[in-house]
Amino acid sequence: EIVLTQSPATLSLSPGERATLSCRASQSVSSYLAWYQQKPGQAPRLLVYDASNRATGIPARFSGSRSGTDFTLTISSLEPEDFAVYYCQQRYNWPPTFGQGTRLEIK
Amino acid sequence: DVQLVESGGGLVQPGRSLRLSCAASGFSFDDYAMHWVRQVPGKGLEWVSGISWNSGNIGYLDSVKGRFIISRDNAKNSLYLQMNSLRDEDTALYYCAKDMFPVAAAGPFDHWGQGTLVTVSS
């Protein structure tokens, strides 16, 4: 099973700041990594798939990148609605696995 | 619009069974793989099971293998999860999720339902 390790566990930033969230895979997942956003009481929402492709309807301030087994989700300028929990997920191998999440909170 | 509506959750004693259903609408159900993903309230996400568009490719989380059975009825646009020999650790909110692709059945998951809560307790 591929383990995804997200960092930091919690990120405290202010609206307008840039957010950088990380996800490291325990082995190669090629570019088969996705990012999800989850707000309290809501289902997760797909943001980015295959490392750098934004899902339908996702604002351009969200971007994803890959360097080997390290993946980054960047939010260029935080909006109030962006404060949530973010998960990464790999589809390279079964079972698909998720990271433990990064909580993005308002500073 | 894509809609996924789960049902069938509830309170059940350890060792008993439960069957979850997911009614899909707003897309060509038989063109996509489908999944069940669970989440203990306040905790992270855990993939449980997935099924390809034609049921030819099915996978399970190791801890549910031999106890859970995923199936789909493309004529009814419905996904199911038969959960047998339930354990305390199966307690979670169970989401139905649509795959972006038809075959590989490992995600990404581009649409989710609101979930149905399963509580296993004596």
Side-chain angles (χ1 to χ4, degrees):
Chain A
E1 173 175 311
I2 294 175
V3 176
L4 300 177
T5 302
Q6 292 188 240
S7 61
T10 303
L11 185 58
S12 300
L13 293 170
S14 300
E17 290 193 291
R18 181 184 188 91
T20 303
L21 287 69
S22 297
C23 176
R24 173 168 290 176
S26 60
Q27 63 189 78
S28 176
V29 297
S30 186
S31 291
Y32 297 132
L33 188 111
W35 290 94
Y36 300 84
Q37 176 194 67
Q38 188 177 32
K39 297 179 181 178
Q42 295 186 16
R45 177 173 71 144
L46 177 66
L47 299 174
V48 169
Y49 66 96
D50 293 352
S52 60
N53 298 291
R54 268 191 305 277
T56 302
I58 300 304
R61 64 180 182 274
F62 291 91
S63 63
S65 62
R66 171 199 174 193
S67 177
T69 57
D70 290 331
F71 295 83
T72 301
L73 176 71
T74 302
I75 310 172
S76 58
S77 178
L78 284 165
E79 297 288 340
E81 61 267 28
D82 298 336
F83 293 91
V85 179
Y86 292 82
Y87 296 95
C88 56
Q89 177 251 325
Q90 65 81 21
R91 69 177 181 98
Y92 184 72
N93 266 353
W94 271 27
T97 49
F98 290 89
Q100 82 280 16
T102 289
R103 180 177 303 278
L104 178 56
E105 64 177 27
I106 300 177
K107 188 173 181 179
Chain B
D1 282 5
V2 172
Q3 279 206 313
L4 299 170
V5 180
E6 303 94 337
S7 60
L11 174 63
V12 61
Q13 292 179 326
R16 303 297 292 266
S17 298
L18 212 55
R19 189 193 196 209
L20 305 184
S21 299
C22 172
S25 60
F27 67 103
S28 297
F29 183 74
D30 53 5
D31 280 346
Y32 297 95
M34 296 293 296
H35 301 266
W36 292 98
V37 178
R38 68 186 180 186
Q39 185 173 38
V40 174
K43 303 296 184 184
L45 299 166
E46 182 176 57
W47 176 85
V48 174
S49 183
I51 184 169
S52 61
W53 68 281
N54 64 350
S55 304
N57 195 15
I58 288 176
Y60 298 98
L61 184 68
D62 277 352
S63 62
V64 309
K65 261 180 206 172
R67 299 190 298 121
F68 290 10
I69 301 171
I70 191 172
S71 62
R72 64 190 295 161
D73 185 337
N74 287 344
K76 294 183 177 179
N77 289 347
S78 293
L79 176 72
Y80 306 101
L81 187 67
Q82 178 66 42
M83 310 166 68
N84 301 323
S85 302
L86 281 160
R87 304 170 180 169
D88 290 352
E89 56 264 33
D90 295 319
T91 293
L93 184 64
Y94 283 73
Y95 291 105
C96 167
K98 172 187 168 292
D99 202 300
M100 281 189 74
F101 303 110
V103 177
F109 316 116
D110 61 352
H111 290 89
W112 299 63
Q114 286 304 305
T116 186
L117 183 62
V118 173
T119 304
V120 184
S121 175
S122 53

